[in-house]
């Protein structure tokens, strides 16, 4: 453990006094936290590896809640959109983070601590000395050992606070029908909605009348009937006849809903996160990593495996699940599907023999020819090339898109971090914006009393059905409908009889 102790900096740099804090009613400083073990988590809310680290920190927070140990998130943004305090606050709510989060403007604290990757954990001892610094996932035991050592040593030396500091903050109450809805699937005039933060799937008719609520709403990983089964922040949903397959993202599993028998079964995954590289195997014996979206063609279920930067397939006939595209290395490299490099694929759509996907961390839209197995990038340039720019495919820019829907000559894109709906014209090879204006900072939010025209707020998905676009307006907790003929955007009123 001690060979990972960080010795380059003797004293920890303090936090800027004028920076914003979330989950703390007052700014924190190293002086206020003297006598405490401080665990800093440098993160950015787009990052799948950061998402994997949050449950680990949550477990450790609970273990040390009666000890003088303080966990602090330092949000050092990658994308433009992630620099906005209100957007970070939404992410804190969505991930249900309970510890204080510092909004690190212009990556100031990141630079002071000489950080070079997300996530990075830094531990500061009760005397204000940096003693540990490590990047990446899988640090639980090392963090735990470091905290235990510091508590024992400083307790013995009398340099440990007698009581843990009390940090108070406003508790957000969720009163919306949907909570951060993720993905949509529409078939036979039925809409399946992943009501992600309510840990359930909702089925409505085309007017928004709720016909089925699937899942207890409690966090869990239990099969069973509609009332007793449980999910954990599900995302992707897809219809296959009378079945719905679900990417149960934070359970690292694929679930199957049978609408006839009203039963939920797990078809792949164990509930535990899999390793970075895996060859797959039998469905329920295989470890998956953050499946984010799902699509179907014949007997194959295609899975956007965001956590391993790959696309996988599950064969409903053979019960085999395995990688289909992506080497596991994170980048934007085209070519043969198994040698290609992807970056947190988060949205899938199949049209004909082409699988289109939103490769979120490269802000790109890419395709796989299912006959040749070739991966090709339509729009996008790299891990740090993003923005909001219309025009030819070679010049257009997206910002962390999460959802898309392919039609014969157009691809509709939920351009998430631009809070926009974009369209790729495959005949003209151009990108244009349908909803969301360029060059405007901030949008009208659902809880803003001055709001007279509600735009989109980090939409996660879009589906084309009967000449209308259905949009999962995630941070507004709504499903929206866009009429391509009238250019009108309205809200689907979700209601129970």
């Amino acid at each position: 453990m001690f060979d990972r102790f960080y010795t380059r900096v003797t004293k920890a740099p303090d936090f800027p006094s004028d920076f914003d804090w979330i989950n703390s009613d007052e700014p924190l400083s190293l002086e206020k936290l003297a006598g405490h073990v401080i665990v800093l988590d440098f993160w950015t809310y787009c990052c799948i590896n950061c998402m994997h680290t949050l449950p680990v920190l949550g477990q450790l927070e609970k273990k040390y809640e009666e000890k003088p140990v303080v966990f602090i998130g330092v949000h050092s943004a990658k994308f433009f959109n992630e620099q906005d305090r209100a957007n970070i606050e939404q992410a804190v709510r969505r991930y249900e983070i309970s510890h204080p989060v510092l909004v690190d403007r212009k990556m100031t604290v990141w630079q002071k601590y000489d950080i070079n990757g997300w996530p990075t954990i830094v531990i500061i001892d009760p005397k204000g000395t940096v003693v540990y610094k490590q990047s990446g996932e899988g640090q639980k035991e090392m963090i735990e050992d470091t905290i235990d050592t510091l508590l024992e040593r400083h307790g013995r030396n009398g340099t440990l606070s007698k009581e843990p500091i009390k940090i108070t903050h406003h508790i957000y109450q969720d009163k919306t029908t949907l909570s951060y809805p993720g993905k949509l699937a529409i078939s036979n005039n039925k809409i399946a909605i992943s009501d992600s933060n309510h840990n359930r799937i909702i089925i409505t008719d085309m007017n928004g009348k709720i016909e089925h609520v699937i899942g207890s709403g409690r966090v869990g990983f239990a099969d069973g009937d509609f009332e007793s089964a449980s999910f954990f922040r599900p995302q992707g949903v897809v219809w296959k006849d009378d079945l719905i397959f679900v990417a149960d993202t934070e359970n690292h599993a694929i679930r199957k809903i049978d609408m006839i028998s009203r039963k939920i079964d797990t078809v792949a995954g164990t509930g535990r996160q899999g390793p970075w590289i895996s060859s797959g195997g039998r469905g329920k014996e295989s470890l998956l990593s953050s499946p984010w979206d799902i699509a179907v063609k014949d007997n194959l279920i295609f899975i956007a495996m965001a956590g391993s930067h790959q696309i996988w397939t599950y064969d409903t006939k053979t019960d085999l699940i395995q990688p289909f595209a992506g080497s596991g290395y994170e980048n934007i490299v085209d070519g043969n599907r198994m040698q290609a490099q992807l970056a947190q694929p988060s949205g899938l759509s199949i049209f004909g023999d082409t699988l289109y996907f939103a490769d979120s961390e490269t802000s790109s839209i890419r395709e796989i020819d299912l006959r040749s197995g070739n991966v090709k990038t339509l729009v996008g340039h790299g891990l740090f090339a993003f923005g909001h720019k219309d025009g030819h495919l070679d010049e257009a820019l997206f910002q962390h898109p999460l959802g898309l829907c392919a039609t014969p000559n157009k691809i509709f894109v939920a351009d998430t971090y631009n809070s926009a709906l974009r369209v790729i014209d495959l005949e003209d090879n151009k990108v244009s914006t349908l909803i969301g204006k360029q060059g405007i900072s901030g949008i009208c939010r659902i809880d803003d009393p001055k709001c007279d025209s509600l735009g989109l707020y980090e939409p996660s998905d879009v589906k084309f059905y009967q000449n209308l676009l259905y949009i999962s307006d995630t941070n507004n907790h709504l499903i929206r409908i866009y009429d391509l003929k009238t250019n009108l955007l309205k809200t689907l009123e979700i209601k129970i009889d």
Side-chain angles (χ1 to χ4, degrees), residues 421-477:
L421 185 66
R422 315 280 294 283
V423 59
I424 300 173
D425 191 312
L426 296 174
E427 294 179 347
D428 292 342
N429 293 319
K430 290 183 178 179
V431 176
S432 57
T433 299
L434 292 177
I435 306 171
K437 297 179 180 179
Q438 297 177 232
I440 296 179
S441 60
I443 63 169
C444 191
R445 296 186 171 87
I446 194 168
D447 54 358
D448 184 350
K450 297 177 290 185
C451 190
D452 58 3
S453 180
L454 183 65
L456 302 176
Y457 192 6
E458 292 195 4
S460 292
D461 204 11
V462 57
K463 291 292 180 282
F464 179 81
Y465 190 76
Q466 295 181 348
N467 296 314
L468 298 172
L469 292 176
Y470 291 79
I471 305 160
S472 183
D473 193 2
T474 302
N475 283 12
N476 276 328
H477 313 290

Side-chain angles (χ1 to χ4, degrees), residues 400-418:
H400 197 78
L402 290 179
L404 77 173
C405 180
T407 67
N409 54 11
K410 289 182 171 61
I411 304 170
F412 299 98
V413 180
D415 190 6
T416 308
Y417 285 4
N418 281 323

Side-chain angles (χ1 to χ4, degrees), residues 245-248 252-256 265-269 288 291 293-294 301 303 305 314 321:
F245 287 87
V246 180
D248 193 4
H252 309 286
I254 304 300
R255 316 289 292 280
K256 180 181 71 176
D265 291 302
T266 300
V267 298
L288 314 184
D293 201 10
I294 199 164
I301 307 296
I303 304 157
M305 202 71 73
Y314 171 74
I321 188 166

Side-chain angles (χ1 to χ4, degrees), residues 83-123:
Q83 298 172 18
D84 185 285
R85 183 197 185 282
N87 297 342
I88 301 167
E89 189 166 17
Q90 288 293 329
V92 168
R93 294 177 183 177
R94 185 164 67 248
Y95 301 148
E96 298 175 291
I97 298 170
S98 59
H99 56 249
V101 173
L102 173 65
V103 179
D104 184 15
R105 292 206 300 266
K106 298 182 179 179
M107 302 183 88
T108 302
V109 181
W110 169 286
Q111 292 168 15
K112 284 184 177 182
Y113 280 83
D114 194 26
I115 307 299
N116 56 25
W118 299 279
T120 294
I121 300 296
V122 172
I123 301 179

Side-chain angles (χ1 to χ4, degrees), residues 107-176:
M107 302 183 88
T108 302
V109 181
W110 169 286
Q111 292 168 15
K112 284 184 177 182
Y113 280 83
D114 194 26
I115 307 299
N116 56 25
W118 299 279
T120 294
I121 300 296
V122 172
I123 301 179
I124 303 168
D125 76 8
K127 296 178 72 174
T129 303
V130 174
V131 295
Y132 176 99
K133 177 183 173 185
Q134 185 78 3
S135 297
E137 299 180 42
Q139 300 186 52
K140 183 180 180 182
E141 291 183 359
M142 293 183 289
I143 297 170
E144 209 165 13
D145 288 347
T146 304
I147 294 173
D148 289 342
T149 299
L150 293 174
L151 290 175
E152 191 277 330
R153 178 187 297 170
H154 287 271
R156 188 175 64 244
N157 295 341
T159 49
L160 195 66
S161 177
K162 297 293 187 290
E163 296 288 338
I165 189 173
K166 301 298 182 184
I167 300 172
T168 58
H169 68 276
H170 172 72
I171 304 298
Y172 171 73
Q173 297 295 325
D174 179 7
K175 298 179 180 179
T176 53

